[in-house]
Amino acid sequence: MSRYDYKPLDPSKREFRLLHILPENDATSEDKSSIDPVRCTVSHASLDSAPPYDALSYTWGDPSTQTTIVVDGADFLATPNLEAGLRHLRKKDEIVTLWVDALCINQSDIPEKNFQLKQMREIYVQAKSVIAWLGPSSENSEEAMKWIEDYGGRSHQLKIGSIGGPRLISLLDALDGRDVPTDEAINEEATIFAADLREQLSPANSWHADLITALLKFFKRAYWNRIWIVQELASASNLIFVCGSDTASDNAIYDTLRLLRNFTQYQNLKWNRMVQETQFVKPSGVSLTQINTSRPINLLKFRRATHPAPLIHLMRTFRFFSSTDPRDKVFALLGISRDADVLGLRADYNKTCDQVYADAARRLIHAGYLDILGLVQYPKSVPGLQSWVPDLSRIHYRAPLQQRSLERKGPPGSTRLEPKFFASATKENIVLRRENTMAPDMPLSLHGVRVGKIEQVGLHWENEGGVGRWLHELQRLSQLGSFTDDNDEAVKYRAQAVWRAAVADQEIRQGVRKPRLADEKVHTAWESFKESDLKDVDEKALEDVGLSYYCEWLQTVSKGRRPLLCESSYLGIGPSETEPGDFVFVLLGSDLPFIMRSESDTSEKMQVIGEAYLHGIMDGEVMEKNPEIETIELC
């Protein structure tokens, strides 16, 4: 049988292709067998007058493994996951009409691909439904889907976690006999649900391990990590999740994820109290904490957003997601960002990956989003990237020192960086001159202040004994600095610098805010351990004095970083690649300082190593001294 040959689309008519899956009973008698191939036809339609259709959201899977389906009487090679999805959606006696990217776009025709990409969001918006195909049933997914539709559906009906509804942790605390705020709307039906949920998720029950394992494997499926589904789900007017022969609603999935996240928080708080009060030992084995709820929650949260977000927020939020083509880490987000047109960014598969990443980074920097430099990490796998261009193909990143969050009270779609740092004191300075800055062959020059040279660095973070060693390394460096007086105030200042630098002067997110480290927590740490060698401080010691959340964030922020001492005056933390002889700069318009390195002994050009925290310069102290402003040419 011949290979399928695409007929060209007419861009002037805003044409796109639709796939029609023929009924299962449509095959001729000789084709009826257990391995009857999926048979389809293709038609052209205009977005201005399209017939009813659904759109498929799925993950391609391994492109090197392919299976054959029949399209317009010709063979078409599809990935096994797509073939399985089409087979599951095929009906016995009806034609099913779908839009499927791998089939409806000629992937080898770059001009067509570029044009269809511009229309993709509208294709998903116009679809009757978006069908999120999670793959065939396996690893007890039937139990996971049933539980999701039951408990997630009931949570949605009861509005648990939504504005104006009862909060799960308050309901659970009430069941434990603990006081809850008088303004909480606690009702009998919600309380019964919370009791049932607590029973379901209790480690003491025989079914606990099987249920948690099923949910864990369900939310570890490749679907939840695919960058294109961000746009597909955000654009859907109606969304249904399909796994094998089971279905679950969008709301049931979202509420289940929030139940699991909030119950995990409650469980951690409860266990921490029990450890302190009774020497209780947490149960081992599979745990709710192993379920990564943040990625799918973010996916579905953007679907519910009232206004589109800026590209920088999308890129930072979904930096962990993957794509078959690394250029799609940018292209897949352009259609749902509110400022892609203003930035002058559009999908162009004629460009190489390094060109796509450099163009995106340059335009974001020019728009004032210097936090894109916070995504710079090493090693880089994309050839040709300059130091200031993040390798966006990565799926593993150290935690950023600031989080970019949607601003609920600001202009539609606006965002903020948290916690609030003000290293450059103001954002009103011109970051770049306009002329020629967009030309890809032009050097990128920024303005900033040189704080000083790195004199000492500590050891990299390690999980084994990491908490105590991390604190001890900061304590050791603090005793090498110029603030080595032994009077009480100097000793207390050094201790404060250690405890704040260890967590980059911040706490874990609290509701809609991510605050700086509270003074009372610094005081608690200082009073509790001022007579101790900090290398002996471990997780339990911090939990025993009420600093369990401090310990949690310490372990998050320290990974991929190392302690450092700058000019014998500033204690802080920076990327693990930081070396003695590197420089600290505060860039005009940036909240954070950056570590940079001379390209060579004879060059003034600088390489970006990454963002840093330095105690004593995070609130504009350096800028108060009227320092010299340098022009820094990056390489």
Side-chain angles (χ1 to χ4, degrees):
M1 188 178 292
S2 61
R3 296 292 183 190
Y4 179 71
D5 186 27
Y6 284 96
K7 296 178 178 62
L9 295 169
D10 186 346
S12 67
K13 296 179 181 178
R14 302 208 310 147
E15 282 191 335
F16 69 117
R17 296 184 184 89
L18 288 172
L19 184 75
H20 310 282
I21 311 174
L22 298 179
E24 186 177 349
N25 295 335
D26 188 70
T28 59
S29 57
E30 61 267 24
D31 291 323
K32 290 183 179 180
S33 68
S34 59
I35 55 171
D36 175 30
V38 174
R39 298 176 180 275
C40 314
T41 60
V42 168
S43 66
H44 292 192
S46 168
L47 276 171
D48 298 321
S49 57
Y53 65 93
D54 294 319
L56 192 65
S57 174
Y58 70 107
T59 181
W60 282 21
D62 183 0
S64 65
T65 305
Q66 297 180 317
T67 188
T68 300
I69 63 174
V70 178
V71 181
D72 285 341
D75 285 349
F76 185 96
L77 294 178
T79 60
N81 187 51
L82 174 55
E83 193 274 345
L86 299 178
R87 186 176 293 277
H88 271 78
L89 295 173
R90 182 173 63 175
K91 296 184 177 180
K92 287 189 177 297
D93 299 301
E94 294 180 45
I95 293 176
V96 176
T97 300
L98 289 173
W99 186 86
V100 184
D101 59 353
L103 279 159
C104 295
I105 298 176
N106 184 352
Q107 300 294 326
S108 62
D109 185 335
I110 291 178
E112 177 184 305
K113 196 173 176 181
N114 289 341
F115 184 79
Q116 288 296 298
L117 223 58
K118 294 178 185 178
Q119 299 189 149
M120 191 177 292
R121 185 176 186 278
E122 193 172 353
I123 289 171
Y124 276 91
V125 168
Q126 286 198 24
K128 289 186 306 175
S129 296
V130 172
I131 301 169
W133 168 247
L134 301 174
S137 298
S138 65
E139 299 179 308
N140 214 7
S141 60
E142 300 92 341
E143 180 182 356
M145 288 287 278
K146 183 176 181 300
W147 198 91
I148 287 167
E149 192 61 25
D150 184 359
Y151 285 85
R154 287 164 61 191
S155 174
H156 182 71
Q157 290 174 358
L158 294 168
K159 299 182 179 180
I160 292 175
S162 63
I163 296 174
R167 301 295 189 268
L168 179 63
I169 293 179
S170 296
L171 291 168
L172 294 166
D173 281 342
L175 289 171
D176 290 339
R178 295 185 177 274
D179 293 334
V180 296
T182 55
D183 61 347
E184 290 285 1
I186 306 298
N187 61 63
E188 183 178 1
E189 190 176 2
T191 301
I192 292 171
F193 172 79
D196 185 12
L197 182 72
R198 185 173 64 174
E199 177 74 9
Q200 280 284 313
L201 299 178
S202 170
N205 289 321
S206 58
W207 63 77
H208 177 267
D210 289 342
L211 173 61
I212 300 305
T213 300
L215 291 168
L216 172 65
K217 292 185 179 297
F218 180 81
F219 287 113
K220 280 184 72 174
R221 288 187 175 227
Y223 180 85
W224 304 110
N225 296 316
R226 179 176 173 259
I227 193 70
W228 276 108
I229 67 172
V230 181
Q231 176 176 258
E232 294 163 3
L233 270 55
S235 305
S237 55
N238 183 48
L239 176 63
I240 186 71
F241 288 88
V242 180
C243 183
S245 57
D246 299 294
T247 62
S249 70
D250 167 27
N251 289 326
I253 294 275
Y254 187 54
D255 273 67
T256 292
L257 288 161
R258 292 192 300 176
L259 286 179
L260 295 174
R261 179 193 62 190
N262 294 338
F263 193 88
T264 301
Q265 293 173 349
Y266 156 77
Q267 204 169 58
N268 285 338
L269 287 169
K270 179 180 178 181
W271 285 348
N272 286 337
R273 289 194 295 261
M274 292 173 67
V275 168
Q276 294 176 44
E277 297 168 5
T278 65
Q279 303 301 309
F280 170 79
V281 177
K282 295 179 184 179
S284 58
V286 68
S287 160
L288 276 173
T289 59
Q290 296 172 265
I291 301 176
N292 185 344
T293 58
S294 62
R295 295 185 190 184
I297 281 177
N298 279 332
L299 277 170
L300 296 172
K301 188 182 293 183
F302 272 86
R303 167 169 164 69
R304 287 158 171 74
T306 308
H307 302 283
L311 180 63
I312 183 66
H313 185 40
L314 294 168
M315 288 174 68
R316 286 174 59 113
T317 301
F318 298 107
R319 64 190 182 277
F320 303 107
F321 284 49
S322 60
S323 61
T324 304
D325 186 328
R327 293 171 292 185
D328 290 340
K329 291 291 287 284
V330 175
F331 293 165
L333 302 175
L334 298 180
I336 54 170
S337 70
R338 69 175 173 85
D339 56 356
D341 289 340
V342 174
L343 291 168
L345 287 169
R346 62 180 184 275
D348 183 356
Y349 285 100
N350 289 301
K351 292 182 177 180
T352 61
C353 188
D354 63 300
Q355 290 172 334
V356 171
Y357 289 179
D359 189 35
R362 187 185 291 268
R363 291 173 186 275
L364 286 166
I365 291 169
H366 186 272
Y369 295 116
L370 288 176
D371 51 306
I372 189 65
L373 297 175
L375 298 186
V376 169
Q377 291 192 37
Y378 298 88
K380 297 182 181 182
S381 60
V382 175
L385 291 181
Q386 297 182 78
S387 73
W388 53 272
V389 181
D391 181 358
L392 301 171
S393 68
R394 298 177 67 98
I395 56 173
H396 299 291
Y397 292 83
R398 54 179 167 253
L401 294 180
Q402 285 181 298
Q403 294 180 4
R404 188 172 279 278
S405 308
L406 290 172
E407 181 62 78
R408 299 189 179 188
K409 296 183 179 179
S414 62
T415 61
R416 62 178 183 269
L417 285 168
E418 294 185 307
K420 294 292 185 183
F421 293 121
F422 306 94
S424 69
T426 177
K427 287 186 177 293
E428 296 176 0
N429 303 82
I430 296 174
V431 179
L432 290 172
R433 290 189 299 272
R434 180 71 191 177
E435 60 271 17
N436 296 323
T437 55
M438 292 300 106
D441 56 342
M442 289 293 293
L444 181 69
S445 294
L446 304 179
H447 304 302
V449 173
R450 191 185 304 243
V451 179
K453 185 179 290 187
I454 301 296
E455 293 187 347
Q456 300 276 345
V457 296
L459 298 173
H460 297 180
W461 166 266
E462 288 183 5
N463 287 327
E464 287 295 327
V467 173
R469 198 181 76 161
W470 182 253
L471 292 168
H472 176 73
E473 283 290 282
L474 284 163
Q475 184 182 54
R476 178 181 67 82
L477 292 180
S478 75
Q479 294 166 352
L480 298 175
S482 60
F483 39 88
T484 54
D485 293 340
D486 289 330
N487 62 66
D488 289 346
E489 282 303 310
V491 170
K492 190 171 183 178
Y493 179 84
R494 285 203 304 270
Q496 182 184 56
V498 168
W499 288 103
R500 288 195 183 277
V503 291
D505 194 21
Q506 58 192 280
E507 303 184 19
I508 64 171
R509 176 163 291 280
Q510 298 175 6
V512 298
R513 294 292 176 183
K514 192 176 197 326
R516 301 275 285 264
L517 183 61
D519 290 342
E520 59 266 26
K521 287 190 171 65
V522 177
H523 180 74
T524 297
W526 156 247
E527 288 293 336
S528 300
F529 302 108
K530 62 183 178 182
E531 304 297 333
S532 305
D533 186 331
L534 295 187
K535 70 181 179 187
D536 298 324
V537 176
D538 58 14
E539 294 178 45
K540 185 178 184 307
L542 291 169
E543 288 177 359
D544 287 347
V545 297
L547 294 175
S548 58
Y549 281 162
Y550 177 95
C551 181
E552 181 182 338
W553 182 246
L554 182 153
Q555 294 179 80
T556 298
V557 78
S558 56
K559 292 175 183 175
R561 293 189 168 93
R562 69 191 319 169
L564 56 87
L565 185 65
C566 175
E567 294 287 322
S568 299
S569 300
Y570 300 114
L571 182 71
I573 58 176
S576 57
E577 296 83 13
T578 305
E579 298 175 355
D582 291 343
F583 294 94
V584 178
F585 280 88
V586 171
L587 300 174
L588 300 190
S590 174
D591 291 351
L592 298 170
F594 286 89
I595 308 294
M596 297 194 187
R597 182 176 299 160
S598 295
E599 183 185 31
S600 67
D601 293 339
T602 58
S603 174
E604 292 295 319
K605 295 181 180 180
M606 289 286 173
Q607 298 173 338
V608 176
I609 305 302
E611 61 185 11
Y613 170 89
L614 260 68
H615 187 70
I617 74 165
M618 304 303 293
D619 292 298
E621 295 91 340
V622 169
M623 309 304 291
E624 293 173 359
K625 303 173 183 178
N626 295 316
E628 177 188 355
I629 305 296
E630 298 184 37
T631 298
I632 309 154
E633 185 174 335
L634 302 181
C635 59

